[in-house]
């Protein structure tokens, strides 16, 4: 297919300027994306005292008890816990009105180890450029520009693609030699970069798109239900109530899922209140996303919120985007 001179010039300008605008941002995102794939491994590597493997899954209630004994958890504070397969330590995050405090807890030895390095954490968030105001949304927009760059590049070179796939004239002047390298590597990486840009844009901009469209159309509640995440809005009642221990709540969720797998993430809301509940995340099958279960912390009743369609799509895309479908081999590739 041969383009007209005008169409070719438009496509070329669009391809060139889109590439120039996003080049630095894309470099940061892709470079830090490599480290984000190994975030958990880096978190253990950067803090050697965490090298202690567990024989059994961690006791969630014991982890919370250790935090309390160390004076790092008030009765009504929000707390989340993340176990690490390569360590018996559990990452804990406590928020009680101020900044979130992170600490590593060994529920076996009953010790608390303060966070010494934030390298893995910062590299992960730098992949989304979350350190800058509006950085994550901008990253999603940049992903759209990347898709435009890729599409226009294919249109420009469509008639020459078979030849460019194997043409490497490294003996020419650097300008032409590097042009051949750029084209060959670009073609081989085209499926990967296209899918990464597309999935990244959907993950980041899906919720924003729903909010903007809802504001314009005046249909925000319905769109929020379609485009939101699996959440449960349950305000405090002001009535004190005794709650079941966390291990019992986890067991209730596991019974509902008919699984003995340990949660990958636990969040405890409204502690000490009659409205207290936990949000438990369990790893799902590849491309299906995580399974989320809410359990009433007082009664132990398992609650089943509706998962919005966007959350179902985003959960599957998240597994794909972070190469969670093929183990270490897929991440290294």
């Amino acid at each position: 297919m041969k383009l007209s001179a005008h169409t070719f010039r438009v496509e070329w300008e669009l391809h060139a300027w889109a590439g120039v605008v996003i080049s630095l941002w894309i470099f940061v995102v892709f470079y830090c994306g490599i480290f984000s794939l190994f975030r958990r491994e880096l978190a253990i590597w950067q803090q050697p005292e965490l090298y202690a493997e567990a024989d059994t899954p961690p006791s969630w209630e014991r982890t919370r008890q250790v935090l309390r004994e160390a004076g790092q958890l008030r009765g009504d504070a929000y707390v989340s816990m993340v176990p690490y397969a390569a360590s018996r330590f559990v990452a804990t995050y406590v928020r009680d009105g101020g900044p979130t405090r992170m600490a590593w807890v060994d529920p076996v030895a009953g010790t608390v180890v303060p966070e010494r390095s934030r390298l893995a954490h910062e590299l992960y968030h730098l992949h989304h450029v979350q350190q800058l105001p509006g950085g994550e949304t901008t990253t999603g927009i940049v992903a759209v520009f990347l898709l435009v760059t890729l599409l226009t590049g294919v249109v420009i070179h469509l008639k020459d693609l078979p030849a460019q796939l194997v043409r490497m004239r490294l003996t020419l002047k650097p300008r032409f030699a590097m042009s051949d390298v750029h084209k060959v590597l670009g073609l081989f990486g085209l499926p990967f970069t296209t899918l990464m840009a597309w999935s990244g844009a959907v993950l980041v901009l899906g919720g924003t798109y729903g909010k903007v469209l809802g504001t314009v159309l005046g249909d925000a509640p319905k769109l929020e239900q379609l485009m939101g995440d699996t959440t449960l809005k349950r305000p405090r009642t002001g009535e004190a109530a005794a709650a079941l221990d966390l291990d019992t709540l986890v067991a209730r969720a596991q019974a509902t899922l008919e699984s003995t797998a340990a949660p990958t993430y636990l969040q405890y809301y409204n502690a000490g209140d009659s409205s207290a509940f936990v949000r438990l995340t369990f790893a799902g099958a590849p491309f299906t996303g995580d399974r989320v279960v809410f359990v009433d912390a007082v009664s132990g009743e398992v609650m089943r919120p509706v998962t919005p369609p966007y959350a179902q799509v985003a959960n599957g895309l998240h597994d794909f985007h972070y190469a969670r479908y093929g183990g270490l081999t897929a991440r290294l590739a």
Side-chain angles (χ1 to χ4, degrees):
M1 182 182 70
K2 185 175 178 61
L3 302 175
S4 67
H6 175 70
T7 303
F8 183 87
R9 185 169 61 253
V10 170
E11 292 289 337
W12 180 268
E13 292 290 339
L14 185 58
H15 175 77
W17 280 108
V20 169
V21 169
I22 67 173
S23 57
L24 180 58
W25 202 285
I26 284 294
F27 172 79
V28 173
V29 169
F30 272 78
Y31 180 72
C32 292
I34 298 172
F35 300 102
S36 71
L37 294 175
F38 299 93
R39 179 187 182 187
R40 294 201 169 197
E41 289 82 356
L42 282 172
I44 301 298
W45 169 82
Q46 69 189 17
Q47 204 150 340
E49 55 262 55
L50 304 182
Y51 297 167
E53 294 188 7
D55 298 326
T56 59
S59 168
W60 305 94
E61 185 61 30
R62 176 59 180 158
T63 300
R64 184 170 65 157
Q65 181 183 354
V66 171
L67 275 177
R68 284 178 172 171
E69 292 172 350
Q72 297 196 26
L73 178 64
R74 295 188 326 187
D76 60 348
Y78 160 86
V79 61
S80 63
M81 305 178 187
V82 183
Y84 280 58
S87 173
R88 73 186 187 198
F89 280 82
V90 178
T92 64
Y93 302 85
V94 177
R95 185 174 65 245
D96 51 9
T100 301
R101 303 188 308 276
M102 190 274 178
W104 296 94
V105 175
D106 183 348
V108 177
T111 57
V112 177
V113 177
E115 183 181 39
R116 189 179 68 180
S117 173
R118 293 181 58 85
L119 175 64
H121 177 86
E122 293 299 335
L123 286 174
Y124 174 80
H125 287 289
L126 192 57
H127 173 57
H128 307 82
V129 200
Q130 290 178 332
Q131 287 88 338
L132 297 180
E136 188 170 26
T137 301
T138 304
T139 300
I141 296 172
V142 167
V144 175
F145 271 82
L146 177 57
L147 284 171
V148 172
T149 305
L150 296 170
L151 178 61
T152 53
V154 170
V155 172
I156 291 170
H157 297 285
L158 187 58
K159 64 183 178 63
D160 301 318
L161 289 183
Q164 291 176 350
L165 185 61
V166 295
R167 186 169 61 192
M168 290 280 280
R169 300 168 297 179
L170 300 181
T171 58
L172 299 180
K173 293 181 179 180
R175 174 187 174 187
F176 299 106
M178 289 300 100
S179 178
D180 283 350
V181 172
H182 171 76
K183 292 170 184 175
V184 170
L185 295 181
L187 283 173
F188 274 104
L190 184 61
F192 169 79
T193 50
T194 301
L195 291 174
M196 287 298 103
W198 170 69
S199 58
V202 173
L203 287 171
V204 173
L205 296 180
T208 302
Y209 170 78
K211 292 178 181 178
V212 172
L213 196 60
T215 301
V216 173
L217 300 180
D219 194 19
K222 182 178 179 181
L223 279 169
E224 183 179 356
Q225 295 171 6
L226 293 174
M227 301 297 294
D229 192 8
T230 307
T231 57
L232 179 65
K233 296 180 180 179
R234 204 178 192 199
R236 287 180 172 272
T237 63
E239 300 175 1
L244 299 173
D245 68 84
L246 293 182
D247 292 329
T248 299
L249 299 176
V250 170
R252 297 283 176 91
Q254 290 172 324
T256 299
L257 296 177
E258 298 181 349
S259 171
T260 59
T264 58
Y265 196 31
L266 180 150
Q267 295 168 280
Y268 194 10
Y269 296 89
N270 301 346
D273 193 84
S274 61
S275 64
F277 67 97
V278 293
R279 183 183 194 269
L280 299 166
T281 303
F282 295 83
F287 302 114
T288 63
D290 296 330
R291 294 174 293 177
V292 178
V293 179
F294 291 89
V295 185
D296 188 298
V298 177
S299 67
E301 176 189 358
V302 175
M303 300 172 283
R304 298 178 178 271
V306 176
T307 301
Y310 170 72
Q312 296 175 358
V313 174
N315 286 340
L317 281 180
H318 194 272
D319 283 350
F320 171 79
H321 191 77
Y322 284 95
R324 292 180 175 174
Y325 52 84
L328 182 61
T329 302
R331 285 189 290 164
L332 289 173

